[in-house]
Amino acid sequence: MDPRPDTLTQLDDAVIRILAPNPSPMTYWGTNTYVLGTGKARVLIDPGPDDASHRTAILNALPQGSRLTHILVTHAHVDHSAGARALAQETGAPIFAFGDAQTGRAPHMDALAQDGLLAGGEGLDHGFVPDETVPHDTVLDTPAGAIKALHTPGHMGNHLCFGFHDTVFSGDLIMGWSSSLISPPDGDAAAFRDSCALMINHGPARLYPGHGAPVQTPRERIRFLLNHRAAREAQILRALGEKPMDLLTLTRAVYTDLPASHLPMAARNTLAHLIDLSQKNRVSATPKLAESATFSVR
């Protein structure tokens, strides 16, 4: 049975999960908010949506007399970050993240967006600004213990994972129930592969993702997702090898088992692959690289 919204689950001695009340096809049973630590001072990862009931559930999950000292945000999508400012104002805890919603985009993605050739931007928390920016490999000294920030773009440019003991809080980069949405210009297929390789090298014993249950076999799951992306790329190249196609036609040719309602999101993943393949000179776009282009193999 799926957990109910705003329920509290003790995942281990130092980690509590509070489930946000925002289930959907994109968020599964809702956003996972995590509280770390065992003493009077605690650390929070991903406050979730701006929802008063969830904020109350977070505060009620803190033991009597304890307080928040850090609010860490994996990335600036509204289902992860929108509740940060109100929680910070209520608790006095500062917000830590890699940057705002535009930070961390690859230059070619930013250029395409600036030229109006890409839409995207689904669910961005445009007003999100952290109190403290956290570069890659920063180790935060917190009351819960040392927490290492890992810049892991792919799902989004400002995405951070957080290493804590032998666990990584993996946000929306690696989940057990679904592959990550990669929607340009914020999503980047090449960056996703690089971030997955970084995670394998980091070698966590388990992952606590932004949605869904803990991932107990991280290496196997990450390799599965990388293989899945490689297979999807091969499908795209085979389909374009038969004839040039526009984005929606190509998506229908590749995602043959999806209902029509899911095709727009599948098209975002397809576009991410096409941009990556264009960067590698394996695909050309006519008249120029854009969502409206006709794509063909080189």
Side-chain angles (χ1 to χ4, degrees):
M1 180 188 299
D2 291 347
R4 296 178 59 186
D6 288 330
T7 54
L8 183 154
T9 304
Q10 189 86 41
L11 295 178
D12 59 45
D13 290 344
V15 179
I16 296 168
R17 182 186 70 203
I18 307 107
L19 180 63
N22 61 335
S24 75
M26 295 301 298
T27 62
Y28 196 39
W29 61 42
T31 301
N32 294 328
T33 293
Y34 297 99
V35 175
L36 285 59
T38 57
K40 292 292 186 181
R42 304 291 176 105
V43 174
L44 181 138
I45 296 177
D46 280 354
D50 187 10
D51 183 280
S53 69
H54 186 53
R55 195 155 53 249
T56 297
I58 291 170
L59 295 174
N60 287 342
L62 298 174
Q64 188 171 7
S66 65
R67 62 188 178 90
L68 286 180
T69 61
H70 297 66
I71 298 171
L72 311 184
V73 175
T74 59
H75 62 294
H77 275 148
V78 292
D79 58 317
H80 292 261
S81 61
R85 185 53 59 192
L87 189 63
Q89 290 171 347
E90 188 155 354
T91 63
I95 301 166
F96 296 77
F98 188 75
D100 64 19
Q102 307 298 322
T103 306
R105 278 183 182 172
H108 67 280
M109 291 290 190
D110 208 34
L112 289 169
Q114 293 297 325
D115 289 344
L117 302 177
L118 293 179
E122 303 88 355
L124 287 188
D125 187 355
H126 293 283
F128 176 76
V129 180
D131 298 310
E132 301 283 348
T133 57
V134 185
H136 175 63
D137 263 354
T138 297
V139 177
L140 297 170
D141 182 15
T142 80
I147 298 175
K148 187 172 186 177
L150 304 168
H151 183 219
T152 46
H155 173 69
M156 189 170 175
N158 76 341
H159 195 285
L160 288 175
C161 292
F162 295 106
F164 178 64
H165 299 163
D166 61 353
T167 297
V168 166
F169 294 84
S170 57
D172 283 3
L173 181 75
I174 306 295
M175 301 175 287
W177 67 283
S178 175
S179 59
S180 181
L181 174 66
I182 303 178
S183 179
D186 309 294
D188 185 321
F192 177 81
R193 286 195 303 270
D194 291 343
S195 293
C196 284
L198 184 152
M199 290 288 287
I200 288 174
N201 290 336
H202 188 76
R206 73 192 60 79
L207 304 176
Y208 288 154
H211 308 277
V215 177
Q216 302 294 355
T217 54
R219 183 179 294 272
E220 289 81 354
R221 179 60 180 167
I222 295 168
R223 291 202 181 282
F224 171 85
L225 292 173
L226 286 171
N227 289 337
H228 171 73
R229 292 294 175 189
R232 193 67 78 193
E233 179 182 280
Q235 286 179 292
I236 289 169
L237 290 171
R238 281 197 300 271
L240 290 180
E242 295 178 4
K243 62 178 181 179
M245 298 184 196
D246 61 32
L247 178 60
L248 189 55
T249 303
L250 176 60
T251 302
R252 287 177 176 143
V254 171
Y255 289 85
T256 57
D257 55 346
L258 278 186
S261 60
H262 287 55
L263 283 175
M265 288 298 98
R268 305 307 301 173
N269 280 331
T270 303
L271 180 61
H273 280 289
L274 289 167
I275 293 171
D276 181 35
L277 289 167
S278 176
Q279 288 290 112
K280 295 187 288 189
N281 292 316
R282 301 188 67 188
V283 162
S284 60
T286 305
K288 58 184 175 181
L289 183 58
E291 292 172 270
S292 58
T294 297
F295 297 91
S296 58
V297 293
R298 288 187 179 273

